């Protein structure tokens, strides 16, 4: 799970006010490491209207570094005035704005995937959205989409964690550390 709060070094500095001067390089390195994890990985984008909501192509390029399993796009939640931040309610996007942002992000990811290359980006699609949370989920088609038997030509998403199966596999790994499992 990596929080991706900005898509340029300048906006990362403005949004996160990082402690480390090399925060941008650390972010890119962290995302690149996700590709080799062998388990579910998530990039979480928090959309702050007026701060980072117009940098969609940059977000797509960052996600492409990690081939993340899931991309969660969430609108920032305003929690009241704070001396540590100058955010206000006008920075909180509406759900339809987050959906629109995510659809454009998906177009940008598709454009990168179509470029191909030595390590092509997997296909993503809109898996679900939750209006009350002001969030939208993109998921890798190769990991989470299956044909919907009730609707030929449509996909069904398997993004929920099967906790019983996870516990079973984790116990098997604890008994035999050579046993590997992943998505």
């Amino acid at each position: 799970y990596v929080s991706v709060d900005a898509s340029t070094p300048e906006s990362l500095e403005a949004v996160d006010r990082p402690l480390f001067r090399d925060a941008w390089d650390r972010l890119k390195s962290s995302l690149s490491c996700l590709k080799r994890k062998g388990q579910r990985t998530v990039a979480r984008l928090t959309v702050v209207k007026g701060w980072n909501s117009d940098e969609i192509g940059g977000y797509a390029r960052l996600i492409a570094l990690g081939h993340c399993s899931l991309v969660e796009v969430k609108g920032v939640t305003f929690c009241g005035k704070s001396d540590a931040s100058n955010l206000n309610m006008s920075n909180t996007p509406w759900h339809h704005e987050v959906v629109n942002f995510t659809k454009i992000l998906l177009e940008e990811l598709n454009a990168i995937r179509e470029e191909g290359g030595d390590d092509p980006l997997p296909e993503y699609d809109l898996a679900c959205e939750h209006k009350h949370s002001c969030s939208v989920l993109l998921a890798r088609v190769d990991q989470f989409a299956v044909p919907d038997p009730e609707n030929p030509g449509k996909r069904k998403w398997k993004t929920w964690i099967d906790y019983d199966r996870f516990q079973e596999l984790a116990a098997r790994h604890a008994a035999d550390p050579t046993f590997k499992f992943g998505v």
Side-chain angles (χ1 to χ4, degrees):
Y1 183 105
V2 175
S3 292
V4 183
D5 299 329
S7 70
T8 67
E10 298 78 23
S11 60
L12 183 68
E13 181 75 28
V15 171
D16 282 355
R17 297 175 311 196
L19 296 175
F20 302 100
R21 289 184 180 171
D22 63 343
W24 178 250
D25 293 328
R26 288 176 184 230
L27 172 62
K28 292 191 311 181
S29 176
S30 295
L31 288 165
S32 295
C33 288
L34 295 180
K35 197 182 304 186
R36 300 181 299 277
K37 277 299 197 193
Q39 60 193 26
R40 283 180 179 215
T41 57
V42 181
R44 172 145 187 219
L45 285 58
T46 301
V47 180
V48 184
K49 192 173 8 176
W51 285 52
N52 65 0
S53 55
D54 60 347
E55 305 170 347
I56 302 173
Y59 281 112
R61 288 186 295 280
L62 288 172
I63 292 164
L65 293 174
H67 292 206
C68 304
S69 303
L70 303 164
V71 180
E72 178 189 14
V73 183
K74 183 167 182 4
V76 71
T77 301
F78 179 67
C79 298
K81 179 137 177 53
S82 165
D83 291 336
S85 169
N86 59 1
L87 291 179
N88 59 53
M89 277 302 293
S90 69
N91 300 115
T92 302
W94 293 96
H95 180 67
H96 72 273
E97 293 172 311
V98 174
V99 170
N100 187 52
F101 177 98
T102 306
K103 287 179 178 177
I104 296 169
L105 176 62
L106 182 58
E107 290 173 8
E108 294 285 339
L109 289 168
N110 284 335
I112 292 170
R113 187 170 60 84
E114 288 172 9
E115 290 172 7
D118 295 336
D119 191 17
L121 186 66
E123 180 183 3
Y124 290 88
D125 205 352
L126 186 90
C128 65
E129 58 182 276
H130 190 261
K131 189 172 187 174
H132 179 74
S133 299
C134 198
S135 63
V136 182
L137 183 69
L138 295 177
R140 282 180 53 165
V141 171
D142 62 322
Q143 292 180 349
F144 298 105
V146 295
D148 186 347
E150 297 173 15
N151 295 303
K154 300 280 184 175
R155 294 180 176 141
K156 197 172 191 174
W157 292 98
K158 301 281 187 175
T159 54
W160 295 97
I161 297 172
D162 181 342
Y163 286 101
D164 292 334
R165 180 73 173 141
F166 173 79
Q167 293 300 328
E168 174 189 323
L169 294 171
R172 188 169 165 195
H173 176 73
D176 176 9
T178 63
F179 174 71
K180 303 285 184 209
F181 60 97
V183 291

